[in-house]
Amino acid sequence: MSGFDIFAIALVLLIIFTLYSGVKTVPQGFDWTVERFGKYTGTLSPGLNLIVPFFDKIGRKINMMEQVIDIPEQEVITKDNATVTVDGVAFYQVFDAAKASYEVANLNQAIITLTMTNIRSVMGSMDLDQVLSHRDEINERLLRVVDAAVSPWGLKVNRIEIKDIVPPADLVEAMGRQMKAERVKRADILQAEGQRQSEILRAEGAKQSQILQAEGRRESAFLDAQARERSAEAEAKATQMVSDAIGKGDVAALNYFIADKYIKAFGQLADSPNQKVIMLPIEATGMLASLAGIGEIAKATFGESAASAVAAARRGGSVPSAGTPPKPPVPPQQA
């Protein structure tokens, strides 16, 4: 092989190496920075790219996809001097490869340190109860502060989440006792409220019952008064009719009136619960004798059929006629 052949082969290899050095293929999701003599000159986007061989070189290969980074555990003292252990997670994305490469030396470490510092600041300004119950507020405040701080680095923090907040064991026990006491208190309050409401409802029911009973007694008294008034009117009318009949010389009407009163009085004596022995001051047949007057009235009013019915009643006992005076009374008998 001559020297010319060797030179030709070396030249071809140099050309191939030069072309290989000037052609760069960037994968999707990454941006590469280009440096010329150590100075940043541009950024290569995903796909096929050309650079100047031997003068340009690839500086940093930056991941442009959203990334997640764990925030280590740390102890935080709250506003009310309670110590809690906190850890979290942060999601960020690079939107400027040049700033992310040359504005900060260690990107991940910077984000972790900045987030931990702000966790202590945010949670240290809150009470323990707020720290445990306002996690969303803590995440929002952390995101706002950290995102503003990393903006000069060409980053965008999309989310910061607090994973665990662990109080000391004795504090957890005290919180458990407090929660139990609070629940017992609420249960007692609800029970007392229920009893109070029950007493109110029972009182309302008793009140309504008394009102209804009073209204019933008033209505009953009103009806009794009306009944007595009508009875008195009927009695007065009957008395008036008997008086008119006597005035006209009709003695049978008087006999009917007296017999009716006598029968009612005798029934009241018989119905009395305290009377075991009834003394009859007049003979019983004297009462039946007064039925003759009833027969005369019935005959005058209803005709012969009613009079015959009264006569049949008389035949049940020895009753004198209306015009016949009654027999002399006998001494009282014991019934």
Side-chain angles (χ1 to χ4, degrees):
M1 182 180 295
S2 62
F4 180 78
D5 294 335
I6 296 174
F7 176 76
I9 293 172
L11 182 61
V12 171
L13 292 176
L14 179 61
I15 294 172
I16 294 173
F17 179 75
T18 301
L19 293 176
Y20 178 79
S21 301
V23 177
K24 300 296 180 183
T25 302
V26 180
Q28 184 66 41
F30 287 84
D31 281 356
W32 292 358
T33 61
V34 179
E35 299 176 356
R36 180 172 296 174
F37 303 115
K39 181 181 179 181
Y40 168 76
T41 58
T43 302
L44 301 181
S45 59
L48 185 63
N49 296 270
L50 299 176
I51 61 174
V52 179
F54 307 115
F55 293 95
D56 296 339
K57 69 174 184 178
I58 301 301
R60 304 288 178 85
K61 297 179 180 180
I62 303 300
N63 188 344
M64 304 298 292
M65 295 180 288
E66 186 173 7
Q67 302 176 65
V68 59
I69 185 171
D70 287 327
I71 308 301
E73 290 185 354
Q74 61 174 331
E75 291 186 351
V76 178
I77 300 176
T78 61
K79 185 178 179 179
D80 51 354
N81 297 323
T83 303
V84 295
T85 302
V86 183
D87 64 350
V89 63
F91 297 84
Y92 72 95
Q93 186 174 11
V94 178
F95 64 88
D96 191 332
K99 291 183 178 180
S101 300
Y102 304 109
E103 295 294 335
V104 59
N106 191 333
L107 183 61
N108 287 347
Q109 185 62 35
I111 295 174
I112 291 173
T113 304
L114 182 62
T115 305
M116 292 178 65
T117 303
N118 283 277
I119 286 176
R120 288 195 295 269
S121 299
V122 172
M123 298 181 67
S125 62
M126 303 173 69
D127 295 333
L128 178 61
D129 292 338
Q130 292 178 325
V131 168
L132 297 176
S133 59
H134 294 75
R135 188 172 298 191
D136 292 339
E137 180 182 350
I138 296 173
N139 295 335
E140 182 182 354
R141 292 174 61 180
L142 283 174
L143 178 61
R144 186 171 59 250
V145 175
V146 175
D147 185 53
V150 301
S151 181
W153 302 342
L155 305 179
K156 173 65 178 176
V157 178
N158 298 323
R159 183 178 301 174
I160 296 178
E161 296 288 345
I162 299 298
K163 292 196 297 184
D164 292 323
I165 301 176
V166 183
D170 55 346
L171 187 58
V172 173
E173 183 180 357
M175 292 171 60
R177 291 196 301 269
Q178 180 183 1
M179 180 184 65
K180 182 178 179 181
E182 185 67 24
R183 291 181 181 274
V184 172
K185 173 185 174 183
R186 283 186 288 180
D188 292 341
I189 291 174
L190 290 177
Q191 183 178 3
E193 185 68 22
Q195 292 177 353
R196 184 177 72 90
Q197 192 68 21
S198 176
E199 293 294 335
I200 291 174
L201 292 177
R202 281 199 290 267
E204 287 290 337
K207 176 183 175 182
Q208 288 295 113
S209 176
Q210 292 177 0
I211 291 174
L212 292 177
Q213 290 178 2
E215 291 180 352
R217 290 193 298 271
R218 183 184 66 179
E219 188 69 19
S220 176
F222 178 73
L223 294 177
D224 290 342
Q226 284 186 339
R228 289 193 299 271
E229 181 181 358
R230 292 179 181 177
S231 178
E233 290 178 355
E235 186 74 19
K237 187 175 181 180
T239 304
Q240 183 64 35
M241 292 176 65
V242 172
S243 299
D244 294 343
I246 294 173
K248 294 178 182 179
D250 190 356
V251 183
L254 179 60
N255 291 337
Y256 169 78
F257 188 75
I258 294 174
D260 180 67
K261 294 295 184 181
Y262 184 83
I263 291 173
K264 290 182 179 179
F266 187 76
Q268 291 177 356
L269 289 174
D271 291 338
S272 176
N274 298 326
Q275 295 294 334
K276 304 301 181 183
V277 178
I278 301 176
M279 305 297 294
L280 299 178
I282 59 176
E283 61 176 340
T285 57
M287 177 184 65
L288 298 176
S290 63
L291 293 177
I294 300 174
E296 296 296 332
I297 296 174
K299 181 178 180 182
T301 306
F302 302 105
E304 292 296 334
S305 60
S308 61
V310 175
R314 291 177 55 191
R315 286 193 297 271
S318 57
V319 181
S321 62
T324 305
K327 297 179 181 180
V330 298
Q333 300 178 3
Q334 183 174 355

